[in-house]
Amino acid sequence: MTTTRSDAALACAARGWHVFPLRPRDKQPLPRFTDWETHATTDPARIRAFWSRDPAFNVAVACGPSGLVVVDLDMPKPGETPPPEWDMPGVNEGADVLAVLAERHGEEFPLDTFTVTTRRGGTHLYFTAPSGVRLRNTSGRYRTGLGWLIDTRAAGGYVVAPGSYVDLPDGAGAYRITNDTPPSPLPPWLAHLLTTPPAPLLGAPCVAGTVADLPAYVQAALKGEAERVADAVTGGRNHALNKAAYNLGRLAGADALDADLAGSVLYEAAAVHFCTGPNAFTPADARATIRSALAAGARNPRTITRGNAA
Protein backbone atom coordinates (compact mmCIF):
# COMPACT_ATOMS: atom_id res chain seq x y z
CA MET A 1 0.00 0.00 0.00
CA THR A 2 1.41 3.38 -1.04
CA THR A 3 1.85 5.91 1.75
CA THR A 4 0.77 9.42 0.85
CA ARG A 5 2.10 12.68 2.27
CA SER A 6 -1.19 13.03 4.13
CA ASP A 7 -0.66 9.57 5.66
CA ALA A 8 2.84 10.61 6.70
CA ALA A 9 1.52 13.77 8.34
CA LEU A 10 -1.21 11.84 10.15
CA ALA A 11 1.35 9.30 11.37
CA CYS A 12 3.43 12.09 12.89
CA ALA A 13 0.34 13.62 14.49
CA ALA A 14 -0.55 10.23 16.00
CA ARG A 15 2.80 10.40 17.80
CA GLY A 16 1.79 13.79 19.23
CA TRP A 17 3.96 15.79 16.83
CA HIS A 18 2.66 19.04 15.37
CA VAL A 19 2.93 19.16 11.59
CA PHE A 20 2.48 21.67 8.78
CA PRO A 21 2.93 21.59 4.99
CA LEU A 22 6.04 22.42 3.01
CA ARG A 23 6.34 23.22 -0.66
CA PRO A 24 6.34 20.14 -2.92
CA ARG A 25 9.83 18.62 -3.32
CA ASP A 26 11.22 21.37 -1.10
CA LYS A 27 12.14 22.13 2.52
CA GLN A 28 10.51 25.57 2.73
CA PRO A 29 7.08 26.45 4.18
CA LEU A 30 4.35 27.47 1.78
CA PRO A 31 4.40 31.10 0.62
CA ARG A 32 2.80 33.40 3.21
CA PHE A 33 2.69 30.49 5.69
CA THR A 34 4.95 32.43 8.01
CA ASP A 35 3.50 31.60 11.43
CA TRP A 36 4.05 27.89 11.00
CA GLU A 37 4.93 27.21 14.65
CA THR A 38 1.51 28.49 15.73
CA HIS A 39 -0.44 26.79 12.95
CA ALA A 40 1.28 23.41 13.13
CA THR A 41 -1.29 20.90 14.32
CA THR A 42 -2.07 17.36 15.45
CA ASP A 43 -5.74 17.67 14.42
CA PRO A 44 -6.50 14.99 11.78
CA ALA A 45 -9.25 17.09 10.18
CA ARG A 46 -6.97 20.09 9.73
CA ILE A 47 -4.21 17.86 8.40
CA ARG A 48 -6.53 16.33 5.81
CA ALA A 49 -7.66 19.85 4.85
CA PHE A 50 -4.05 21.00 4.42
CA TRP A 51 -3.11 18.11 2.14
CA SER A 52 -6.37 18.18 0.21
CA ARG A 53 -5.07 21.43 -1.34
CA ASP A 54 -2.11 19.57 -2.82
CA PRO A 55 -1.24 15.96 -1.95
CA ALA A 56 2.39 16.67 -3.02
CA PHE A 57 3.02 19.03 -0.12
CA ASN A 58 5.94 17.79 1.95
CA VAL A 59 5.55 17.41 5.72
CA ALA A 60 7.35 19.32 8.47
CA VAL A 61 7.42 18.63 12.20
CA ALA A 62 7.49 21.76 14.39
CA CYS A 63 9.93 20.75 17.11
CA GLY A 64 8.98 23.23 19.85
CA PRO A 65 5.23 22.46 20.05
CA SER A 66 6.04 18.76 19.66
CA GLY A 67 8.40 18.73 22.65
CA LEU A 68 11.26 17.50 20.50
CA VAL A 69 14.95 18.16 20.05
CA VAL A 70 16.22 16.78 16.75
CA VAL A 71 19.95 16.31 16.21
CA ASP A 72 20.74 16.60 12.51
CA LEU A 73 23.90 14.74 11.50
CA ASP A 74 24.72 15.95 8.02
CA MET A 75 26.96 14.74 5.22
CA PRO A 76 29.57 17.09 3.74
CA LYS A 77 28.79 18.75 0.45
CA PRO A 78 31.14 18.04 -2.47
CA GLY A 79 34.51 19.62 -1.79
CA GLU A 80 33.68 20.47 1.82
CA THR A 81 36.43 19.69 4.31
CA PRO A 82 36.39 19.80 8.12
CA PRO A 83 37.51 22.94 9.95
CA PRO A 84 40.84 22.68 11.83
CA GLU A 85 39.29 21.61 15.13
CA TRP A 86 37.64 18.61 13.44
CA ASP A 87 40.39 17.78 10.96
CA MET A 88 41.32 14.41 12.42
CA PRO A 89 41.42 10.79 11.22
CA GLY A 90 38.02 9.14 10.94
CA VAL A 91 35.99 12.37 11.05
CA ASN A 92 34.24 12.67 7.71
CA GLU A 93 30.61 13.52 8.54
CA GLY A 94 28.31 14.70 11.32
CA ALA A 95 27.87 11.22 12.79
CA ASP A 96 31.65 10.97 13.25
CA VAL A 97 31.70 14.32 15.08
CA LEU A 98 28.94 13.15 17.44
CA ALA A 99 30.85 9.91 18.06
CA VAL A 100 33.93 11.92 19.05
CA LEU A 101 31.86 14.12 21.37
CA ALA A 102 30.33 11.05 23.01
CA GLU A 103 33.77 9.50 23.52
CA ARG A 104 35.14 12.73 25.01
CA HIS A 105 32.32 12.76 27.55
CA GLY A 106 32.54 9.05 28.35
CA GLU A 107 29.12 8.37 26.86
CA GLU A 108 27.64 5.99 24.32
CA PHE A 109 26.59 7.14 20.87
CA PRO A 110 22.82 7.82 21.28
CA LEU A 111 21.46 5.26 18.81
CA ASP A 112 18.39 4.00 20.65
CA THR A 113 15.89 6.64 19.60
CA PHE A 114 13.55 7.47 16.71
CA THR A 115 15.78 7.88 13.66
CA VAL A 116 15.24 9.17 10.13
CA THR A 117 17.67 8.91 7.22
CA THR A 118 17.65 12.12 5.22
CA ARG A 119 17.77 12.71 1.48
CA ARG A 120 21.58 13.08 1.34
CA GLY A 121 22.35 10.14 3.61
CA GLY A 122 22.45 12.10 6.85
CA THR A 123 20.57 11.27 10.03
CA HIS A 124 17.90 12.90 12.18
CA LEU A 125 17.93 11.68 15.79
CA TYR A 126 14.67 12.58 17.54
CA PHE A 127 14.71 13.15 21.32
CA THR A 128 12.16 14.41 23.80
CA ALA A 129 13.10 17.84 25.10
CA PRO A 130 14.20 18.14 28.74
CA SER A 131 11.72 19.74 31.10
CA GLY A 132 12.43 23.16 32.54
CA VAL A 133 14.86 24.09 29.74
CA ARG A 134 13.94 25.92 26.56
CA LEU A 135 16.42 24.83 23.94
CA ARG A 136 16.72 26.71 20.67
CA ASN A 137 18.23 25.83 17.30
CA THR A 138 21.98 25.52 16.84
CA SER A 139 24.17 25.27 13.76
CA GLY A 140 27.39 23.37 13.30
CA ARG A 141 28.66 26.34 11.31
CA TYR A 142 28.97 28.39 14.49
CA ARG A 143 30.92 27.96 17.68
CA THR A 144 27.74 27.70 19.77
CA GLY A 145 26.76 24.52 17.90
CA LEU A 146 27.78 21.01 18.86
CA GLY A 147 30.32 20.64 16.08
CA TRP A 148 30.97 20.41 12.37
CA LEU A 149 27.98 19.12 10.36
CA ILE A 150 25.74 18.88 13.44
CA ASP A 151 22.68 21.12 13.65
CA THR A 152 19.95 20.88 16.27
CA ARG A 153 16.32 21.87 15.96
CA ALA A 154 14.17 22.65 18.99
CA ALA A 155 11.93 25.61 19.88
CA GLY A 156 11.67 27.83 16.83
CA GLY A 157 12.78 25.08 14.46
CA TYR A 158 11.37 22.33 12.30
CA VAL A 159 12.57 19.26 10.42
CA VAL A 160 11.39 17.63 7.23
CA ALA A 161 9.33 14.64 8.32
CA PRO A 162 9.68 11.04 7.16
CA GLY A 163 7.58 10.34 4.09
CA SER A 164 8.68 13.57 2.40
CA TYR A 165 10.74 13.82 -0.78
CA VAL A 166 13.08 16.73 -1.46
CA ASP A 167 14.70 17.51 -4.81
CA LEU A 168 17.13 20.44 -4.62
CA PRO A 169 20.39 21.26 -6.43
CA ASP A 170 22.49 19.88 -3.57
CA GLY A 171 20.72 16.53 -3.54
CA ALA A 172 17.47 14.65 -3.97
CA GLY A 173 15.90 11.84 -2.00
CA ALA A 174 13.33 10.65 0.48
CA TYR A 175 13.23 10.94 4.27
CA ARG A 176 12.81 7.43 5.67
CA ILE A 177 12.35 6.01 9.16
CA THR A 178 15.28 3.74 10.00
CA ASN A 179 14.59 3.18 13.71
CA ASP A 180 10.89 3.21 14.47
CA THR A 181 11.07 3.47 18.24
CA PRO A 182 9.72 6.24 20.49
CA PRO A 183 12.10 9.19 20.94
CA SER A 184 14.35 8.82 23.96
CA PRO A 185 14.92 11.71 26.38
CA LEU A 186 17.72 14.00 25.22
CA PRO A 187 20.88 12.60 26.84
CA PRO A 188 21.95 14.83 29.76
CA TRP A 189 25.43 15.29 28.34
CA LEU A 190 23.98 16.66 25.11
CA ALA A 191 21.57 18.88 27.03
CA HIS A 192 24.55 20.21 28.99
CA LEU A 193 26.48 21.03 25.81
CA LEU A 194 23.44 22.80 24.38
CA THR A 195 22.87 24.92 27.48
CA THR A 196 26.46 25.80 28.41
CA PRO A 197 27.54 29.11 26.83
CA PRO A 198 30.94 29.10 25.14
CA ALA A 199 33.85 31.04 26.59
CA PRO A 200 34.20 34.64 25.41
CA LEU A 201 36.31 35.20 22.30
CA LEU A 202 38.87 37.81 21.29
CA GLY A 203 40.25 37.83 24.82
CA ALA A 204 37.21 39.77 25.97
CA PRO A 205 35.99 39.58 29.53
CA CYS A 206 32.56 38.15 30.18
CA VAL A 207 30.25 40.26 28.04
CA ALA A 208 27.52 41.99 29.97
CA GLY A 209 24.14 41.00 28.59
CA THR A 210 23.38 38.63 25.76
CA VAL A 211 22.10 38.93 22.25
CA ALA A 212 18.61 38.15 23.54
CA ASP A 213 18.71 41.28 25.71
CA LEU A 214 19.29 43.59 22.74
CA PRO A 215 16.64 45.56 20.85
CA ALA A 216 15.15 43.70 17.90
CA TYR A 217 16.85 45.90 15.29
CA VAL A 218 20.27 45.26 16.87
CA GLN A 219 19.63 41.51 17.01
CA ALA A 220 18.66 41.63 13.34
CA ALA A 221 21.85 43.55 12.50
CA LEU A 222 24.00 41.01 14.36
CA LYS A 223 22.30 38.09 12.64
CA GLY A 224 22.52 39.67 9.19
CA GLU A 225 26.18 40.59 9.49
CA ALA A 226 27.10 37.17 10.91
CA GLU A 227 25.36 35.53 7.95
CA ARG A 228 27.21 37.86 5.56
CA VAL A 229 30.50 36.61 7.01
CA ALA A 230 29.58 32.92 7.22
CA ASP A 231 28.27 32.86 3.64
CA ALA A 232 31.25 34.68 2.10
CA VAL A 233 33.05 33.02 -0.80
CA THR A 234 36.74 32.15 -0.52
CA GLY A 235 37.99 35.28 -2.26
CA GLY A 236 35.67 37.59 -0.36
CA ARG A 237 36.02 36.42 3.22
CA ASN A 238 38.08 39.31 4.55
CA HIS A 239 36.03 41.90 2.64
CA ALA A 240 32.79 40.50 4.07
CA LEU A 241 34.24 40.44 7.58
CA ASN A 242 35.58 43.99 7.25
CA LYS A 243 32.22 45.31 6.03
CA ALA A 244 30.28 43.47 8.73
CA ALA A 245 32.57 44.67 11.50
CA TYR A 246 32.43 48.25 10.23
CA ASN A 247 28.62 48.19 10.18
CA LEU A 248 28.43 46.78 13.71
CA GLY A 249 31.13 49.20 14.83
CA ARG A 250 28.81 52.06 13.86
CA LEU A 251 26.18 50.61 16.19
CA ALA A 252 28.77 50.24 18.93
CA GLY A 253 29.79 53.87 18.40
CA ALA A 254 26.17 54.86 18.95
CA ASP A 255 26.11 52.89 22.24
CA ALA A 256 23.52 50.51 20.82
CA LEU A 257 25.79 47.44 20.91
CA ASP A 258 28.69 46.22 23.03
CA ALA A 259 31.79 46.07 20.83
CA ASP A 260 33.11 42.93 22.57
CA LEU A 261 29.84 41.13 21.92
CA ALA A 262 29.90 42.22 18.28
CA GLY A 263 33.46 40.96 17.96
CA SER A 264 32.61 37.61 19.49
CA VAL A 265 29.66 37.08 17.15
CA LEU A 266 31.72 38.00 14.09
CA TYR A 267 34.66 35.81 15.12
CA GLU A 268 32.30 32.88 15.57
CA ALA A 269 30.88 33.44 12.09
CA ALA A 270 34.36 33.79 10.58
CA ALA A 271 35.54 30.55 12.20
CA VAL A 272 33.82 28.47 9.50
CA HIS A 273 36.45 29.77 7.05
CA PHE A 274 39.63 29.19 9.05
CA CYS A 275 42.19 27.34 6.96
CA THR A 276 45.86 27.24 6.03
CA GLY A 277 47.59 26.93 2.69
CA PRO A 278 47.57 29.19 -0.41
CA ASN A 279 44.19 30.72 0.49
CA ALA A 280 44.85 30.83 4.22
CA PHE A 281 42.43 32.60 6.52
CA THR A 282 43.49 32.29 10.14
CA PRO A 283 42.13 33.28 13.56
CA ALA A 284 44.78 36.01 13.68
CA ASP A 285 43.56 37.39 10.35
CA ALA A 286 39.99 37.47 11.63
CA ARG A 287 40.89 39.14 14.92
CA ALA A 288 42.91 41.85 13.18
CA THR A 289 40.16 42.64 10.69
CA ILE A 290 37.45 42.66 13.35
CA ARG A 291 39.35 44.98 15.67
CA SER A 292 40.32 47.51 13.00
CA ALA A 293 36.91 47.58 11.29
CA LEU A 294 34.99 47.83 14.57
CA ALA A 295 37.16 50.79 15.53
CA ALA A 296 36.66 52.43 12.14
CA GLY A 297 32.91 52.02 12.37
CA ALA A 298 32.84 53.41 15.90
CA ARG A 299 34.47 56.60 14.59
CA ASN A 300 31.44 57.06 12.34
CA PRO A 301 28.55 56.17 14.69
CA ARG A 302 25.17 55.44 13.27
CA THR A 303 22.44 57.99 13.98
CA ILE A 304 19.66 56.26 15.90
CA THR A 305 16.27 57.82 16.58
CA ARG A 306 14.72 56.52 19.76
CA GLY A 307 11.05 57.05 20.40
CA ASN A 308 9.87 58.78 23.55
CA ALA A 309 8.12 56.74 26.24
CA ALA A 310 4.35 57.00 26.16
Side-chain angles (χ1 to χ4, degrees):
M1 180 178 177
T2 302
T3 300
T4 65
R5 302 284 195 278
S6 178
D7 292 335
L10 289 168
C12 288
R15 299 176 185 271
W17 302 343
H18 294 238
V19 298
F20 64 94
L22 300 174
R23 301 177 191 184
R25 305 173 74 86
D26 207 333
K27 299 168 62 177
Q28 298 300 314
L30 304 180
R32 297 182 296 279
F33 198 89
T34 55
D35 196 9
W36 50 263
E37 192 164 32
T38 299
H39 292 113
T41 184
T42 59
D43 181 358
R46 289 186 61 200
I47 290 169
R48 293 188 182 96
F50 274 144
W51 272 268
S52 68
R53 293 173 51 195
D54 188 339
F57 286 157
N58 273 334
V59 184
V61 174
C63 296
S66 304
L68 292 171
V69 177
V70 178
V71 178
D72 179 8
L73 307 176
D74 209 352
M75 301 291 290
K77 292 180 172 61
E80 185 177 7
T81 57
E85 63 269 28
W86 291 107
D87 188 6
M88 60 185 74
V91 174
N92 302 301
E93 59 186 73
D96 299 329
V97 173
L98 185 61
V100 171
L101 289 173
E103 182 179 5
R104 286 177 180 174
H105 290 81
E107 303 287 348
E108 297 292 327
F109 190 98
L111 282 172
D112 190 18
T113 194
F114 186 85
T115 305
V116 173
T117 297
T118 67
R119 66 188 170 108
R120 295 180 56 248
T123 302
H124 285 172
L125 300 174
Y126 285 56
F127 300 100
T128 57
S131 60
V133 178
R134 183 172 171 81
L135 297 177
R136 302 291 296 183
N137 303 325
T138 69
S139 171
R141 298 177 66 183
Y142 301 108
R143 191 174 58 95
T144 49
L146 291 173
W148 181 57
L149 295 179
I150 303 180
D151 298 337
T152 65
R153 294 294 177 261
Y158 67 86
V159 291
V160 180
S164 299
Y165 185 90
V166 171
D167 186 359
L168 292 173
D170 64 342
Y175 287 68
R176 297 187 176 91
I177 299 171
T178 48
N179 188 8
D180 194 0
T181 189
S184 300
L186 182 69
W189 67 275
L190 280 175
H192 175 74
L193 289 177
L194 292 170
T195 54
T196 302
L201 292 168
L202 300 177
C206 183
V207 175
T210 63
V211 172
D213 298 324
L214 297 171
Y217 75 94
V218 180
Q219 292 188 44
L222 274 170
K223 180 176 184 294
E225 298 301 346
E227 289 177 348
R228 178 203 301 275
V229 172
D231 294 339
V233 298
T234 298
R237 295 172 302 202
N238 197 66
H239 175 75
L241 183 59
N242 185 74
K243 185 174 181 64
Y246 178 83
N247 290 341
L248 294 183
R250 296 190 67 199
L251 285 174
D255 294 326
L257 174 64
D258 183 276
D260 287 335
L261 176 58
S264 293
V265 169
L266 291 175
Y267 184 92
E268 178 182 329
V272 301
H273 300 296
F274 291 164
C275 61
T276 57
N279 296 309
F281 186 69
T282 67
D285 295 331
R287 291 189 184 99
T289 297
I290 289 168
R291 287 194 179 103
S292 62
L294 281 174
R299 291 193 292 270
N300 182 28
R302 179 175 163 183
T303 300
I304 298 173
T305 302
R306 294 180 173 86
N308 296 322

